Amino acid sequence: MPMTHAHAAHAAPSADGVWTNLRLAPGATAPDSPALMDAAIVVHDGRISYVGARQALPPLSPDCPQHDGGDALVTPGLVDCHTHLVYGGQRANEFAMRLAGATYEEIANAGGGIVSSVRATRAASENELYTQASPRLQALLDEGMCAIEIKSGYGLALEHERKQLRVARRLGRDLGVDVRTTFLGAHALPPEYAGRSSDYIALVCQQMLPALAAEGLVDAVDVFCERIGFSLAETEAVFKAAQGLGLPVKLHAEQLSDMGGARLAAAYGALSCDHVEHLSAEGIAAMKASGTVAVLLPGAYYFLRDTHLPPIQALREAGVPMAVATDHNPGTSPALSLLLMLNMASTLFRLTVPEALAGVTHHAARALGLQATHGALAAERPANFVLWALRDAAELVYWLGQRPACRIVRQGRIHTPSGASR
């Protein structure tokens, strides 16, 4: 009988012991920390108890397990802080139609667009959604990802949003990875509510969100605030409902136009504003004041052939933390490589190597509210780190399409990427 995901995750060997022959990458312990050439990490009960110079190791018991790092470059476990990983079907046919010259309206009239993903997600069972999402998640895990956000938003009805979020929770349990779930009921207007957006927002705020929160399925709440999505007033109604339930908010902000969503999100202490191609100076100032992370999504920018760059230099000068994520979704970013996003963020958006790496570690963790446990190597944190067979941290950003050999310590257990020799 083949080993299930649940059995595989729990069968992974413990990482407890002392890890030596390591090189800490720049930024491994803090965004501006220097590289450390002869480093060691001690893991006890699945948590880091020491990280630093090998020569400064504390006394260890004679029977402490020894792990030779093989002169590997070590980074914190990577964090993908914006994905729509659980959905039914795919939309490659629409991609082909666009390439052949079809307009968005023609694709929508042919039953395409987000409505097609909603239809496929509603038609799929929970087990079918799980089966489709598992290999997507595994592809990200094989590149050293140790925490991920998974949004709902393709169900747009209570039973189907619940189904997506339940699958996200199950994936985290079975594959041994920290999953943060985000309720994105206000993603698009479902067909049955055409022309009645206020009624649908009332349903989201008064029925869907309270029910799903009560079931423990929601870690944060998101809205697509855009001319083709929901208005500022509708977005604020969802934020107020989330606030009333003690849930943090996030926002799909300023992707296609400047709606002023970032200012509104910052006023509610949002964890992050995501996309932000059309972010204004006022929005940047508000995000800086609230500590809100700007999440850059170069996959969607590339896939949509966008030409309006996010205001990277203004964000940099303001000191707003910039995260990088895949935005994995079937319509605008079918990306399953966080490393590829690093290259795109640097090539398309001109992030430096340190900025890009901080974007998938420190700042990505902060965008999920996980900055106390993920995104950096420090004592008392869960053991989530990656050993890369690379000489230089810049190689993580440099290579296109190459998956560097690595060993992954995730949730205190040693994982070997799928397909790698064991």
Side-chain angles (χ1 to χ4, degrees), residues 348-375:
L348 299 175
F349 296 165
R350 307 295 191 267
L351 263 59
T352 65
V353 167
E355 285 173 336
L357 293 176
V360 294
T361 53
H362 302 279
H363 302 326
R366 184 171 170 181
L368 297 183
L370 292 176
Q371 63 269 31
T373 55
H374 290 72

Side-chain angles (χ1 to χ4, degrees), residues 16-40:
D16 279 10
V18 58
W19 294 74
T20 54
N21 201 7
L22 304 174
R23 294 173 292 119
L24 291 191
T29 57
D32 57 353
S33 63
L36 181 60
M37 297 313 293
D38 186 12

Side-chain angles (χ1 to χ4, degrees), residues 217-394:
L217 292 174
V218 181
D219 295 321
V221 177
D222 194 358
V223 178
F224 183 39
C225 180
E226 194 56 72
R227 287 179 305 217
I228 61 171
F230 295 94
S231 70
L232 273 179
E234 290 166 337
T235 298
E236 185 163 23
V238 177
F239 283 179
K240 285 180 177 176
Q243 188 179 60
L245 294 166
L247 292 168
V249 300
K250 305 165 71 69
L251 190 66
H252 280 64
E254 274 72 276
Q255 180 184 9
L256 307 174
S257 62
D258 181 12
M259 291 276 290
R263 294 194 298 276
L264 175 66
Y268 281 82
L271 290 171
S272 69
C273 290
D274 303 30
H275 288 288
V276 300
E277 281 85 349
H278 294 263
L279 182 63
S280 68
E282 293 78 13
I284 292 172
M287 291 172 64
K288 170 63 175 175
S290 64
T292 299
V293 177
V295 178
L296 307 175
L297 303 172
Y301 179 92
Y302 165 83
F303 202 75
L304 292 171
R305 300 178 185 172
D306 202 347
T307 57
H308 196 289
L309 287 165
I312 300 298
Q313 185 58 29
L315 288 164
R316 185 182 283 140
E317 290 172 356
V320 173
M322 293 180 286
V324 176
T326 62
D327 187 19
H328 177 83
N329 75 81
T332 62
S333 187
L336 285 169
S337 171
L338 200 50
L339 296 181
L340 179 59
M341 296 305 103
L342 285 180
N343 182 278
M344 284 188 175
S346 299
T347 303
L348 299 175
F349 296 165
R350 307 295 191 267
L351 263 59
T352 65
V353 167
E355 285 173 336
L357 293 176
V360 294
T361 53
H362 302 279
H363 302 326
R366 184 171 170 181
L368 297 183
L370 292 176
Q371 63 269 31
T373 55
H374 290 72
L377 302 181
E380 306 305 323
R381 288 178 176 238
N384 291 295
F385 55 89
V386 189
L387 286 69
W388 305 94
L390 299 172
R391 293 308 309 167
D392 194 295

Side-chain angles (χ1 to χ4, degrees), residues 188-200:
L189 201 58
E192 62 271 22
Y193 277 86
R196 297 190 294 133
S197 64
S198 60
D199 290 344
Y200 179 65

